[in-house]
Short mmCIF file of all heavy atoms in Angstrom, two decimals:
data_model
loop_
_atom_site.label_atom_id
_atom_site.label_comp_id
_atom_site.label_asym_id
_atom_site.label_seq_id
_atom_site.Cartn_x
_atom_site.Cartn_y
_atom_site.Cartn_z
N ALA A 561 89.90 160.56 75.11
CA ALA A 561 91.19 159.95 74.80
C ALA A 561 91.91 160.74 73.72
O ALA A 561 93.13 160.96 73.80
CB ALA A 561 90.99 158.50 74.37
N ALA A 562 91.18 161.17 72.70
CA ALA A 562 91.80 161.95 71.62
C ALA A 562 92.40 163.24 72.15
O ALA A 562 93.52 163.63 71.78
CB ALA A 562 90.76 162.24 70.54
N ALA A 563 91.66 163.92 73.03
CA ALA A 563 92.17 165.16 73.62
C ALA A 563 93.38 164.89 74.51
O ALA A 563 94.32 165.69 74.56
CB ALA A 563 91.07 165.85 74.42
N ALA A 564 93.37 163.76 75.22
CA ALA A 564 94.47 163.42 76.14
C ALA A 564 95.73 163.02 75.40
O ALA A 564 96.84 163.18 75.93
CB ALA A 564 94.04 162.28 77.06
N LEU A 565 95.58 162.49 74.18
CA LEU A 565 96.74 162.04 73.41
C LEU A 565 97.26 163.10 72.45
O LEU A 565 98.44 163.15 72.13
CB LEU A 565 96.39 160.76 72.64
CG LEU A 565 96.13 159.53 73.50
CD1 LEU A 565 95.61 158.38 72.65
CD2 LEU A 565 97.39 159.11 74.25
N GLY A 566 96.37 163.93 71.93
CA GLY A 566 96.78 164.97 71.01
C GLY A 566 96.96 164.47 69.59
O GLY A 566 96.38 165.00 68.65
N VAL A 567 97.75 163.45 69.42
CA VAL A 567 97.95 162.79 68.14
C VAL A 567 97.97 161.29 68.41
O VAL A 567 98.53 160.84 69.41
CB VAL A 567 99.25 163.29 67.45
CG1 VAL A 567 100.48 162.98 68.29
CG2 VAL A 567 99.40 162.73 66.05
N PHE A 568 97.36 160.51 67.50
CA PHE A 568 97.11 159.11 67.86
C PHE A 568 96.79 158.27 66.64
O PHE A 568 96.44 158.78 65.57
CB PHE A 568 95.93 159.04 68.83
CG PHE A 568 94.66 159.66 68.29
CD1 PHE A 568 93.76 158.92 67.55
CD2 PHE A 568 94.38 161.00 68.51
CE1 PHE A 568 92.62 159.49 67.02
CE2 PHE A 568 93.24 161.60 67.98
CZ PHE A 568 92.35 160.84 67.24
N ALA A 569 96.92 156.96 66.82
CA ALA A 569 96.39 155.96 65.91
C ALA A 569 95.05 155.46 66.48
O ALA A 569 94.84 155.51 67.70
CB ALA A 569 97.37 154.81 65.77
N PRO A 570 94.13 154.99 65.63
CA PRO A 570 92.81 154.61 66.13
C PRO A 570 92.81 153.63 67.29
O PRO A 570 92.06 153.79 68.26
CB PRO A 570 92.13 154.02 64.88
CG PRO A 570 92.76 154.76 63.74
CD PRO A 570 94.20 154.94 64.15
N ASN A 571 93.64 152.60 67.22
CA ASN A 571 93.65 151.61 68.30
C ASN A 571 94.03 152.20 69.65
O ASN A 571 93.63 151.70 70.70
CB ASN A 571 94.59 150.45 67.96
CG ASN A 571 93.95 149.43 67.04
OD1 ASN A 571 92.76 149.52 66.74
ND2 ASN A 571 94.74 148.47 66.59
N TRP A 572 94.81 153.28 69.62
CA TRP A 572 95.23 153.89 70.89
C TRP A 572 94.06 154.54 71.60
O TRP A 572 94.05 154.63 72.83
CB TRP A 572 96.34 154.91 70.65
CG TRP A 572 97.55 154.34 69.97
CD1 TRP A 572 97.85 153.02 69.78
CD2 TRP A 572 98.61 155.08 69.38
NE1 TRP A 572 99.03 152.89 69.11
CE2 TRP A 572 99.53 154.14 68.84
CE3 TRP A 572 98.89 156.43 69.24
CZ2 TRP A 572 100.70 154.52 68.19
CZ3 TRP A 572 100.05 156.83 68.59
CH2 TRP A 572 100.94 155.87 68.07
N LEU A 573 93.07 155.02 70.83
CA LEU A 573 91.87 155.56 71.46
C LEU A 573 91.15 154.48 72.24
O LEU A 573 90.71 154.68 73.37
CB LEU A 573 90.91 156.13 70.41
CG LEU A 573 91.25 157.44 69.73
CD1 LEU A 573 90.01 157.96 69.02
CD2 LEU A 573 91.76 158.47 70.71
N ALA A 574 91.01 153.31 71.62
CA ALA A 574 90.33 152.19 72.29
C ALA A 574 91.11 151.74 73.51
O ALA A 574 90.54 151.43 74.56
CB ALA A 574 90.13 151.04 71.32
N GLU A 575 92.43 151.69 73.40
CA GLU A 575 93.26 151.20 74.49
C GLU A 575 93.24 152.14 75.69
O GLU A 575 93.37 151.70 76.84
CB GLU A 575 94.70 151.02 73.99
CG GLU A 575 95.64 150.34 74.97
CD GLU A 575 95.31 148.88 75.21
OE1 GLU A 575 94.65 148.27 74.33
OE2 GLU A 575 95.69 148.34 76.26
N TYR A 576 93.05 153.43 75.44
CA TYR A 576 93.18 154.42 76.51
C TYR A 576 92.18 154.15 77.64
O TYR A 576 92.53 154.21 78.82
CB TYR A 576 92.99 155.83 75.95
CG TYR A 576 93.56 156.90 76.85
CD1 TYR A 576 94.91 157.21 76.81
CD2 TYR A 576 92.76 157.60 77.74
CE1 TYR A 576 95.46 158.19 77.63
CE2 TYR A 576 93.30 158.59 78.56
CZ TYR A 576 94.64 158.87 78.51
OH TYR A 576 95.17 159.83 79.34
N TYR A 577 90.94 153.89 77.29
CA TYR A 577 89.93 153.54 78.30
C TYR A 577 89.47 152.09 78.16
O TYR A 577 88.45 151.70 78.71
CB TYR A 577 88.73 154.48 78.23
CG TYR A 577 89.03 155.87 78.74
CD1 TYR A 577 89.11 156.96 77.88
CD2 TYR A 577 89.24 156.10 80.10
CE1 TYR A 577 89.38 158.23 78.35
CE2 TYR A 577 89.53 157.37 80.58
CZ TYR A 577 89.59 158.43 79.71
OH TYR A 577 89.87 159.69 80.18
N TYR A 578 90.21 151.31 77.41
CA TYR A 578 89.97 149.88 77.22
C TYR A 578 88.57 149.62 76.69
O TYR A 578 87.79 148.84 77.24
CB TYR A 578 90.22 149.12 78.52
CG TYR A 578 90.69 147.69 78.28
CD1 TYR A 578 91.90 147.45 77.66
CD2 TYR A 578 89.92 146.60 78.65
CE1 TYR A 578 92.34 146.15 77.42
CE2 TYR A 578 90.34 145.30 78.42
CZ TYR A 578 91.54 145.09 77.80
OH TYR A 578 91.98 143.80 77.55
N THR A 579 88.25 150.31 75.60
CA THR A 579 86.98 150.09 74.93
C THR A 579 87.20 149.13 73.76
O THR A 579 88.33 148.72 73.46
CB THR A 579 86.38 151.41 74.42
OG1 THR A 579 87.36 152.10 73.62
CG2 THR A 579 86.01 152.31 75.59
N ASP A 580 86.12 148.78 73.08
CA ASP A 580 86.15 147.80 71.99
C ASP A 580 86.97 148.33 70.83
O ASP A 580 86.65 149.37 70.24
CB ASP A 580 84.71 147.51 71.55
CG ASP A 580 84.65 146.50 70.42
OD1 ASP A 580 85.66 145.82 70.16
OD2 ASP A 580 83.58 146.40 69.79
N ARG A 581 88.04 147.62 70.47
CA ARG A 581 88.90 148.07 69.37
C ARG A 581 88.16 148.11 68.03
O ARG A 581 88.47 148.93 67.17
CB ARG A 581 90.12 147.16 69.25
CG ARG A 581 91.20 147.42 70.29
CD ARG A 581 92.49 146.74 69.90
NE ARG A 581 93.59 147.16 70.76
CZ ARG A 581 94.87 147.01 70.45
NH1 ARG A 581 95.21 146.46 69.29
NH2 ARG A 581 95.81 147.39 71.28
N LYS A 582 87.18 147.20 67.88
CA LYS A 582 86.45 147.17 66.62
C LYS A 582 85.68 148.46 66.38
O LYS A 582 85.39 148.82 65.23
CB LYS A 582 85.49 145.98 66.61
CG LYS A 582 86.19 144.63 66.60
CD LYS A 582 85.18 143.49 66.63
CE LYS A 582 85.88 142.14 66.68
NZ LYS A 582 84.90 141.01 66.77
N SER A 583 85.35 149.16 67.45
CA SER A 583 84.57 150.40 67.31
C SER A 583 85.46 151.62 67.03
O SER A 583 84.94 152.69 66.69
CB SER A 583 83.75 150.65 68.58
OG SER A 583 84.60 150.99 69.67
N ALA A 584 86.78 151.47 67.16
CA ALA A 584 87.68 152.62 67.07
C ALA A 584 87.59 153.35 65.72
O ALA A 584 87.48 154.58 65.69
CB ALA A 584 89.12 152.20 67.36
N PRO A 585 87.62 152.64 64.57
CA PRO A 585 87.52 153.38 63.30
C PRO A 585 86.24 154.20 63.18
O PRO A 585 86.27 155.33 62.68
CB PRO A 585 87.58 152.26 62.25
CG PRO A 585 88.31 151.14 62.92
CD PRO A 585 87.86 151.20 64.35
N GLY A 586 85.13 153.64 63.67
CA GLY A 586 83.87 154.38 63.62
C GLY A 586 83.90 155.61 64.51
O GLY A 586 83.36 156.66 64.15
N MET A 587 84.51 155.48 65.69
CA MET A 587 84.61 156.63 66.59
C MET A 587 85.48 157.72 65.96
O MET A 587 85.16 158.91 66.03
CB MET A 587 85.21 156.19 67.93
CG MET A 587 84.38 155.20 68.73
SD MET A 587 82.72 155.81 69.17
CE MET A 587 81.72 154.95 67.94
N VAL A 588 86.59 157.31 65.35
CA VAL A 588 87.47 158.29 64.70
C VAL A 588 86.73 158.99 63.56
O VAL A 588 86.81 160.21 63.40
CB VAL A 588 88.75 157.61 64.18
CG1 VAL A 588 89.56 158.58 63.32
CG2 VAL A 588 89.60 157.11 65.34
N ALA A 589 85.97 158.22 62.78
CA ALA A 589 85.22 158.81 61.67
C ALA A 589 84.23 159.86 62.17
O ALA A 589 84.05 160.92 61.55
CB ALA A 589 84.49 157.71 60.90
N GLN A 590 83.57 159.57 63.30
CA GLN A 590 82.63 160.55 63.85
C GLN A 590 83.36 161.81 64.32
O GLN A 590 82.86 162.93 64.13
CB GLN A 590 81.85 159.93 65.01
CG GLN A 590 80.84 158.88 64.57
CD GLN A 590 79.92 158.47 65.72
OE1 GLN A 590 79.21 159.28 66.28
NE2 GLN A 590 79.95 157.19 66.05
N LEU A 591 84.51 161.63 64.93
CA LEU A 591 85.28 162.79 65.40
C LEU A 591 85.83 163.61 64.23
O LEU A 591 85.92 164.84 64.31
CB LEU A 591 86.40 162.34 66.32
CG LEU A 591 85.96 161.72 67.66
CD1 LEU A 591 87.15 161.12 68.41
CD2 LEU A 591 85.25 162.75 68.52
N VAL A 592 86.21 162.93 63.15
CA VAL A 592 86.63 163.64 61.95
C VAL A 592 85.44 164.41 61.37
O VAL A 592 85.55 165.58 60.98
CB VAL A 592 87.23 162.67 60.91
CG1 VAL A 592 87.43 163.38 59.56
CG2 VAL A 592 88.55 162.09 61.40
N GLY A 593 84.28 163.75 61.31
CA GLY A 593 83.09 164.38 60.77
C GLY A 593 82.66 165.61 61.53
O GLY A 593 82.13 166.57 60.95
N SER A 594 82.89 165.61 62.85
CA SER A 594 82.51 166.76 63.68
C SER A 594 83.57 167.86 63.67
O SER A 594 83.37 168.92 64.27
CB SER A 594 82.26 166.30 65.12
OG SER A 594 83.46 165.83 65.71
N GLY A 595 84.71 167.59 63.02
CA GLY A 595 85.78 168.58 62.96
C GLY A 595 86.68 168.60 64.17
O GLY A 595 87.57 169.45 64.27
N GLU A 596 86.49 167.66 65.11
CA GLU A 596 87.32 167.62 66.32
C GLU A 596 88.67 166.97 66.07
O GLU A 596 89.62 167.19 66.83
CB GLU A 596 86.57 166.89 67.43
CG GLU A 596 85.28 167.57 67.87
CD GLU A 596 84.43 166.66 68.71
OE1 GLU A 596 83.68 165.84 68.13
OE2 GLU A 596 84.50 166.77 69.94
N VAL A 597 88.74 166.17 65.03
CA VAL A 597 89.94 165.40 64.70
C VAL A 597 90.19 165.53 63.21
O VAL A 597 89.24 165.64 62.42
CB VAL A 597 89.74 163.92 65.11
CG1 VAL A 597 90.69 162.99 64.37
CG2 VAL A 597 89.91 163.75 66.61
N GLU A 598 91.46 165.54 62.83
CA GLU A 598 91.79 165.57 61.40
C GLU A 598 92.89 164.56 61.11
O GLU A 598 93.77 164.33 61.95
CB GLU A 598 92.22 166.96 60.97
CG GLU A 598 93.48 167.48 61.65
CD GLU A 598 93.80 168.92 61.28
OE1 GLU A 598 92.94 169.79 61.54
OE2 GLU A 598 94.89 169.16 60.72
N PRO A 599 92.86 163.95 59.92
CA PRO A 599 93.92 163.01 59.57
C PRO A 599 95.22 163.74 59.28
O PRO A 599 95.21 164.84 58.71
CB PRO A 599 93.37 162.31 58.31
CG PRO A 599 92.39 163.28 57.74
CD PRO A 599 91.81 164.04 58.89
N VAL A 600 96.32 163.17 59.69
CA VAL A 600 97.64 163.74 59.43
C VAL A 600 98.61 162.62 59.06
O VAL A 600 98.32 161.43 59.28
CB VAL A 600 98.21 164.50 60.65
CG1 VAL A 600 97.39 165.74 60.95
CG2 VAL A 600 98.29 163.59 61.87
#
């Protein structure tokens, strides 16, 4: 979802494939930690 959106808010990641919104901040944190995503 992050790659498909390019730039996004956390809830939009969850909405893209209709996953649990509560998990979105944790998923974003992991992607930031891996260097795949950066805050802007």
Side-chain angles (χ1 to χ4, degrees):
L565 293 172
V567 61
F568 57 89
N571 278 354
W572 303 347
L573 286 195
E575 188 68 23
Y576 200 83
Y577 288 110
Y578 209 64
T579 54
D580 180 15
R581 283 194 171 198
K582 293 178 182 178
S583 69
M587 296 300 101
V588 171
Q590 289 189 60
L591 294 172
V592 170
S594 66
E596 297 166 277
V597 159
E598 62 185 59
V600 293

